[in-house]
Amino acid sequence: PGGEERGRRAMIKKHFVITIGRQFGSGGRLVGKRLSEELGIHFYDENILSLTSEKTAIGEQYFRLADEKAGSNLLYRIVDKLKPQLGKPRVGEHIVTPENLFRFQAEVIEELAEAESCIIAGRCANYVLREAGFRERVDLFVYADLETRIQRAMDYTKTDREEALRRIRKIDRERREYHRYYTGEEWMKLDNYDLMINASRISYDELFSLMRDYIRMKGYID
């Protein structure tokens, strides 16, 4: 029976979306992509940038420059819980401000969620969909201790220890500030996720099984 269960492909029972927040080097992106292949649904990460560029006819380079980085409005940076309003994107001279680019991206995230079951990594997708009232979702966050992330980042990026550590610190800082800037909330606040997974002492296979089993327990797959 165990072998039969492992060999059986999970089937989706109803429309839903998985969002994955992740520390750099935790394995969240890699395993999220594997889960999308298992479920036969799309995995959206930085390809959201090209989709938003196509929808808006704004050059993709603008979205890449702003990708998972906080904007420059000082008030949003220093005042607790102050954040840009989502609403509709603006046109005209403010069209490529970081806040406006975020609004365009949020619209695409909402449209994807309404159109199909999928997995979305980062980009405050849990917050965007919560604000839009999209209820059929599972919000996950994957983290790990520093040593685990260094080793995984070295393997994934083919860099040495020093460079892996530099990337971890830089990217985690950018993601933390990005989330705080656009949501007014702390990136790793427990209340913002259905399940936070410590991937420090489990393999990628075990992380995959944990994600899949939790989604099955929630009634979205058989």
Side-chain angles (χ1 to χ4, degrees):
E4 182 178 327
E5 169 65 20
R6 284 190 297 270
R8 184 171 64 84
R9 186 186 182 112
M11 300 294 291
I12 292 176
K13 296 170 69 173
K14 61 179 178 177
H15 181 102
F16 78 112
V17 171
I18 302 166
T19 72
I20 301 178
R22 68 278 182 243
Q23 287 185 320
F24 185 72
S26 66
R29 182 188 183 280
L30 290 175
V31 176
K33 197 164 190 328
R34 176 178 167 187
L35 184 62
S36 76
E37 293 166 357
E38 160 77 10
L39 298 179
I41 60 179
H42 287 116
F43 179 85
Y44 293 105
D45 187 4
E46 60 180 22
N47 48 349
I48 284 180
L49 307 180
S50 55
L51 290 174
T52 310
S53 175
E54 290 172 9
K55 172 184 167 65
T56 61
I58 297 172
E60 188 174 336
Q61 70 271 19
Y62 290 105
F63 292 99
R64 290 201 171 274
L65 286 170
D67 187 37
E68 294 202 304
K69 296 182 182 68
S72 57
N73 188 309
L74 187 60
L75 277 178
Y76 299 148
R77 288 181 176 274
I78 64 175
V79 179
D80 187 41
K81 301 187 183 304
L82 188 63
K83 60 186 184 296
Q85 293 299 310
L86 284 181
K88 291 291 183 183
R90 300 172 184 173
V91 295
E93 62 179 312
H94 299 294
I95 195 168
V96 293
T97 63
E99 295 79 19
N100 208 49
L101 295 175
F102 182 83
R103 293 185 190 103
F104 279 123
Q105 182 174 268
E107 278 196 341
V108 169
I109 289 172
E110 291 174 33
E111 289 170 4
L112 290 171
E114 291 291 344
E116 59 178 300
S117 292
C118 59
I119 299 177
I120 304 174
R123 291 158 189 87
C124 302
N126 60 322
Y127 172 82
V128 168
L129 296 181
R130 187 182 78 205
E131 291 295 295
F134 187 89
R135 299 179 60 85
E136 299 296 344
R137 67 181 202 278
V138 178
D139 299 324
L140 306 175
F141 192 96
V142 184
Y143 66 101
D145 61 43
L146 183 58
E147 186 57 37
T148 297
R149 292 194 289 140
I150 289 172
Q151 294 300 321
R152 288 178 176 172
M154 287 171 63
D155 181 61
Y156 179 70
T157 62
K158 308 303 180 188
T159 54
D160 61 21
R161 183 182 181 87
E162 183 178 352
E163 175 61 16
L165 180 59
R166 187 194 69 79
R167 291 191 189 189
I168 286 170
R169 288 174 172 165
K170 177 179 182 292
I171 293 173
D172 277 0
R173 182 183 69 254
E174 289 175 347
R175 290 176 179 173
R176 186 182 307 108
E177 293 175 352
Y178 174 83
H179 196 92
R180 162 69 181 77
Y181 187 89
Y182 287 108
T183 72
E185 301 172 350
E186 294 303 316
W187 183 40
M188 294 181 66
K189 185 180 179 183
L190 295 173
D191 293 349
N192 293 337
Y193 305 96
D194 297 297
L195 181 65
M196 294 190 73
I197 304 172
N198 185 346
S200 303
R201 291 174 291 281
I202 58 177
S203 67
Y204 287 145
D205 285 346
E206 290 166 332
L207 177 56
F208 167 79
S209 295
L210 184 57
M211 285 184 176
R212 182 188 58 191
D213 291 348
Y214 183 78
I215 293 161
R216 178 175 288 141
M217 183 189 75
K218 297 290 282 186
Y220 290 112
I221 62 175
D222 65 8

